[in-house]
Amino acid sequence: MFDFLEKYIMGPMTKLSQFRMIRSITQAGMTSISFTIVGSMFLILNVLPQAFPDLQGIWAVSFDQITELYMLANHATIGCIAVYFLIGTAFEYSRILSEEDGIDIKPLNGVLIAIMAMFMLAPQVGFVDGVISRITSIVEGETGWSSVVYNGWELGGDGPANFGATGIFCAFIIAWFAVRIYATCVDKKIVIKLPEVVPDGVARSFTALVPGFLVAIVCMLIQTVFMMFGTNFYDFIAIPFGFVVNIVGTYPGILLIYFLIHALWLVGIHGATIVTSSLTAIAIANLVVNADGGAAVWAGEYNNAFVIIGGSGCTLGLSILMVTMAKSEQLKAIGKAEIVPAFFNINEPLLFGLPIVYNPALAVPFVLAPMAAATISYFAITLGIIPSVLVQVPWPTPVGIGAMISTGGSLVAAAVAVLDVVVATLIYFPFFKRYDKQLCEEEAAAKAAE
């Protein structure tokens, strides 16, 4: 089994995680999470009365009066999340190319060129009376406007629609080609060279001049091509990436995610980082979907709030078993060291100290427990038993509390998270008893040998 995992899963996934753009996107996602947490905290003020109806009267004369003021923090973060991803990805990609390829580029220049490209590709253009113009279009719905494009800018409830969650994947592509053109020009010396007497700061600012022109021309060509086909860059890119988002939103897709995470962990690879970091963009985009009344499962910190409670493998229950029922001295000692971190979703002492990595005795429950927890929470959300995840919370938030805050204060969600732990514990129990007995026999044999 371990040979199979190393050959067919560990190898390809490790190679994928080492691609420079994947590393850049991963880092950008990690950097953006803090801002989404800030925006989400203000969203809680909006959804608390839904979870606790008794608060509606208080809210009507207090927070409801200043909703548009405090929700600016939400609009400026989650509502413009594509901009954050663009900046983070362009900066990291520029830094990686500079450090690993020795290309003398500045990450700040890479970021600024990428922002220019985004601002050129975001507006919609088309033929109006035979002339290329920015489009203005208003579509009326039953409750008011349902779609507004003004001077080329599609407007959403939180601002320019292409700056929000729907533009995240486009931001990745824009960051890639903008920085790549910049780096290629510098590497091939297709830049304006100023005399050596010119200060370095001034000279470096001119280094981005030619790449900036080339990126602008590329953006014009992209707009022209899509305009000829009656569409735009953002709508076109949404087609393939929409398919990926839909797969992640299915039950088989969720199970596949958790199988890959834990299969990688079993052979010593940090599966959570490799798999979930590449899906961070989808998780953040789905926060917006859920805030608008959707029921996307893979959103925010669904992963830590409902599935890998106690750490990868949903090992909180295993930690409790080790503290309360273990007879092996080894398990007792590790259980005491792990029990407190487990409540904050940290389980490295188990993964490498027990160990779980390369341990066939615990491999089966390590994979099955989180898949069972994912099953329970998936159907709890899709069937409407609990609200979908609306709020981004810090991943170490303790069991139950993270689920409650994530769903806007739902106590039922906290109960589902606890149920996930109970089911995971039951899955671990027979394997734990068997492993505990095995270790006791080995410890007894070692003492007898002494």
Side-chain angles (χ1 to χ4, degrees):
M1 181 186 69
F2 288 111
D3 288 343
F4 175 84
L5 293 177
E6 286 181 338
K7 182 177 181 181
Y8 295 103
I9 295 180
M10 173 184 166
M13 293 298 291
T14 301
K15 290 179 181 178
L16 177 65
S17 69
Q18 294 305 309
F19 287 163
R20 290 170 174 176
M21 265 307 290
I22 296 296
R23 288 157 54 196
S24 303
I25 291 170
T26 297
Q27 189 59 43
M30 293 179 180
T31 304
S32 302
I33 284 177
S34 58
F35 297 99
T36 61
I37 291 175
V38 171
S40 294
M41 291 301 105
F42 288 94
L43 181 62
I44 292 178
L45 292 176
N46 259 6
V47 301
L48 269 180
Q50 301 174 25
F52 303 102
D54 291 342
L55 296 176
Q56 291 179 359
I58 300 174
W59 253 242
V61 296
S62 57
F63 291 109
D64 288 352
Q65 304 298 317
I66 56 172
T67 297
E68 293 303 323
L69 178 61
Y70 67 73
M71 281 299 288
L72 289 175
N74 183 272
H75 301 335
T77 52
I78 296 177
C80 297
I81 195 62
V83 178
Y84 291 84
F85 269 95
L86 176 87
I87 293 172
T89 304
F91 184 92
E92 284 300 317
Y93 193 41
S94 299
R95 183 188 62 79
I96 290 172
L97 291 178
S98 174
E99 293 179 358
E100 298 183 5
D101 286 356
I103 303 175
D104 188 21
I105 60 175
K106 293 298 179 183
L108 180 58
N109 282 346
V111 169
L112 294 176
I113 291 174
I115 291 176
M116 179 192 72
M118 171 181 262
F119 287 169
M120 289 189 66
L121 291 174
Q124 298 181 21
V125 295
F127 287 106
V128 178
D129 297 329
V131 178
I132 296 178
S133 305
R134 286 180 291 170
I135 295 173
T136 294
S137 166
I138 300 178
V139 178
E140 296 288 341
E142 294 181 0
T143 58
W145 61 268
S146 58
S147 175
V148 174
V149 180
Y150 181 73
N151 277 345
W153 293 92
E154 182 179 356
L155 302 178
D158 301 337
N162 291 335
F163 288 176
T166 57
I168 289 177
F169 297 109
C170 293
F172 297 154
I173 296 174
I174 292 170
W176 171 76
F177 78 74
V179 173
R180 176 49 69 179
I181 290 174
Y182 170 40
T184 301
C185 287
V186 174
D187 188 41
K188 302 298 183 182
K189 310 234 183 303
I190 311 174
V191 294
I192 294 177
K193 184 72 173 176
L194 296 180
E196 294 183 1
V197 295
V198 177
D200 286 344
V202 177
R204 290 186 184 280
S205 66
F206 276 84
T207 302
L209 192 58
V210 173
F213 269 110
L214 290 177
V215 169
I217 293 171
V218 169
C219 290
M220 293 176 197
L221 292 174
I222 291 173
Q223 284 279 35
T224 302
V225 170
F226 286 112
M227 179 185 64
M228 298 295 290
F229 287 94
T231 185
N232 60 77
F233 175 71
Y234 280 79
D235 288 346
F236 178 79
I237 297 301
I239 297 173
F241 283 106
F243 175 76
V244 175
V245 173
N246 291 334
I247 290 295
V248 172
T250 66
Y251 177 57
I254 292 291
L255 292 185
L256 177 62
I257 288 171
Y258 287 105
F259 172 77
L260 290 175
I261 289 173
H262 295 88
L264 288 169
W265 263 123
L266 287 175
V267 289
I269 301 297
H270 200 306
T273 297
I274 290 178
V275 178
T276 61
S277 59
S278 60
L279 300 175
T280 299
I282 297 176
I284 295 176
N286 282 340
L287 284 176
V288 180
V289 173
N290 292 343
D292 292 335
V297 174
W298 186 262
E301 277 299 336
Y302 163 79
N303 183 45
N304 286 289
F306 289 101
V307 183
I308 58 170
I309 303 171
S312 293
C314 195
T315 55
L316 177 58
L318 177 60
S319 300
I320 295 172
L321 289 174
M322 292 167 63
V323 170
T324 59
M325 302 182 65
K327 296 180 180 178
S328 162
E329 294 299 324
Q330 176 183 333
L331 292 186
K332 286 180 181 179
I334 297 174
K336 291 177 182 178
E338 166 61 17
I339 189 63
V340 174
F343 280 96
F344 298 92
N345 299 329
I346 299 169
N347 68 344
E348 275 72 13
L350 286 184
L351 294 173
F352 302 106
L354 189 56
I356 290 176
V357 173
Y358 280 105
N359 186 347
L362 296 173
V364 172
F366 183 73
V367 174
L368 288 185
M371 293 177 76
T375 298
I376 294 170
S377 53
Y378 177 89
F379 287 106
I381 292 173
T382 55
L383 295 177
I385 298 172
I386 63 174
S388 52
V389 175
L390 299 168
V391 178
Q392 182 88 28
V393 298
W395 65 266
T397 307
V399 57
I401 299 176
M404 182 179 70
I405 297 176
S406 292
T407 54
S410 172
L411 296 177
V412 179
V416 168
V418 173
L419 176 61
D420 290 340
V421 175
V422 172
V423 171
T425 304
L426 294 175
I427 292 174
Y428 273 107
F429 181 74
F431 297 91
F432 159 76
K433 292 293 290 183
R434 190 175 182 182
Y435 189 51
D436 185 38
K437 181 180 178 181
Q438 174 188 330
L439 291 180
C440 285
E441 291 174 352
E442 292 177 359
E443 290 169 2
K447 289 181 180 178
E450 292 177 358

